[in-house]
Amino acid sequence: MTQEQALQLFEQTGALLKGHFILRSGLHSREFFQCALALQEMPIVEKLGAGLADQLKDLGARTRSEERRVGKECEVVCRSRWSPSQ
């Protein structure tokens, strides 16, 4: 997903607000992302999540379910190699 596609999703859902905003930091902005508006619609959540996952996949991050699977595989290997059954 490109930046333009993500912006289009925020605009379609009304989550990209335009005007004059004073942020908590005291800085001023002409645009504000009201993420909660975009994330109310599951198809939008799925598109944004898939786009984010696609951007991050090259970092080699693992999900918790992958960590559990790898952890169990390591445990099996460790038990078979170093079990005191001899």
Side-chain angles (χ1 to χ4, degrees):
M1 171 178 291
T2 66
Q3 182 176 345
E4 291 301 319
Q5 291 170 322
L7 286 172
Q8 187 177 22
L9 289 175
F10 276 89
E11 288 174 348
Q12 287 173 356
T13 58
L16 176 57
L17 307 176
K18 297 188 181 202
H20 181 252
F21 304 94
I22 300 174
L23 307 176
R24 289 184 189 175
S25 63
L27 297 174
H28 295 250
S29 176
R30 289 180 282 173
E31 296 176 325
F32 184 79
F33 289 91
Q34 187 66 43
C35 296
L37 289 175
L39 300 177
Q40 289 178 353
E41 301 177 29
M42 190 50 94
I44 302 297
V45 172
E46 290 171 349
K47 287 179 184 177
L48 291 171
L52 180 60
D54 190 49
Q55 295 281 325
L56 298 176
K57 71 180 178 186
D58 293 335
L59 296 178
R62 292 186 174 176
T63 64
R64 290 189 188 255
S65 62
E66 288 175 323
E67 288 175 2
R68 276 189 232 111
R69 180 180 49 79
V70 170
K72 287 180 182 178
E73 290 171 0
C74 288
E75 182 180 342
V76 169
V77 169
C78 290
R79 284 186 180 175
S80 67
R81 288 186 133 190
W82 293 286
S83 71
S85 62
Q86 297 175 358

